[in-house]
Amino acid sequence: MDDLTTHQCADLYQTVQALRVELQELLDGSVESSKAVDLDQPIGRLSRMDALQQQAMAKANREAHQRRLKLVEAALLMIKQERYGDCRRCEEPIGYPRLMARPETPFCLHCQQQIEGGA
Ligand SMILES: [Zn+2]
C-alpha cells in the first residue's frame, strides 16, 4: 500500500477545491455563450453556421465542465470521509502523481484505461 501522507492529502484537498472554484467560474461565465442562437437575426448563412458551431462547442464544453464538477464534488466528499485516493473500482491506491494531475479522478490509471477501452 502506498497511502497518501497527511501532507499529500492537504495538497490534494487544496487542488480539488481550487479546481472546483475554477470550474464554477467557467460555468458561470459560459451561460451567455450557450444560449440558443436567434435564427431570425439578419445574419448571413456562413455566419449563422459559425454561430451554431460556436454554440455547439460552448454547449459541449459546458457539459464537460459540469461532468468534471460532479467528479470534483464527489472527490471533496471522499476527502471528508477519508476515503479519498483509492480507486472506486479495484480499491487500490490511485497514487499521488495521478491524483495531482487529475485530482477529481475516481479511478486508478489501469481501471480508467479499461473503462475508456470499453472492457
Ligand atoms: Zn482501479
Side-chain angles (χ1 to χ4, degrees):
M1 291 291 274
D2 70 31
D3 278 338
L4 298 169
T5 65
T6 312
H7 183 75
Q8 286 174 333
C9 238
D11 259 9
L12 286 164
Y13 186 59
Q14 289 219 320
T15 308
V16 177
Q17 275 197 317
L19 187 59
R20 185 189 185 195
V21 171
E22 198 186 312
L23 286 170
Q24 198 76 64
E25 277 170 3
L26 278 169
L27 283 168
D28 288 347
S30 64
V31 175
E32 279 303 310
S33 54
S34 61
K35 268 188 188 161
V37 175
D38 185 359
L39 290 175
D40 293 331
Q41 261 179 39
I43 50 175
R45 204 168 77 89
L46 268 182
S47 54
R48 178 179 297 169
M49 276 171 67
D50 278 353
L52 284 171
Q53 201 172 26
Q54 272 175 15
Q55 186 204 356
M57 271 172 57
K59 190 164 176 273
N61 266 333
R62 197 174 156 75
E63 281 167 4
H65 291 329
Q66 276 168 337
R67 271 198 302 276
R68 204 163 173 209
L69 186 61
K70 271 190 192 147
L71 289 175
V72 165
E73 278 169 356
L76 282 169
L77 196 69
M78 295 288 271
I79 292 172
K80 281 198 189 115
Q81 296 171 344
E82 295 179 4
R83 286 159 53 214
Y84 181 69
D86 287 340
C87 176
R88 275 223 300 257
R89 194 157 171 264
C90 68
E91 293 177 4
E92 289 291 318
I94 294 170
Y96 184 65
R98 173 161 164 79
L99 287 171
M100 277 309 272
R102 294 287 303 272
E104 79 281 20
T105 187
F107 304 114
C108 70
L109 192 58
H110 179 73
C111 289
Q112 183 76 51
Q113 280 169 348
Q114 284 199 332
I115 292 163
E116 277 168 14

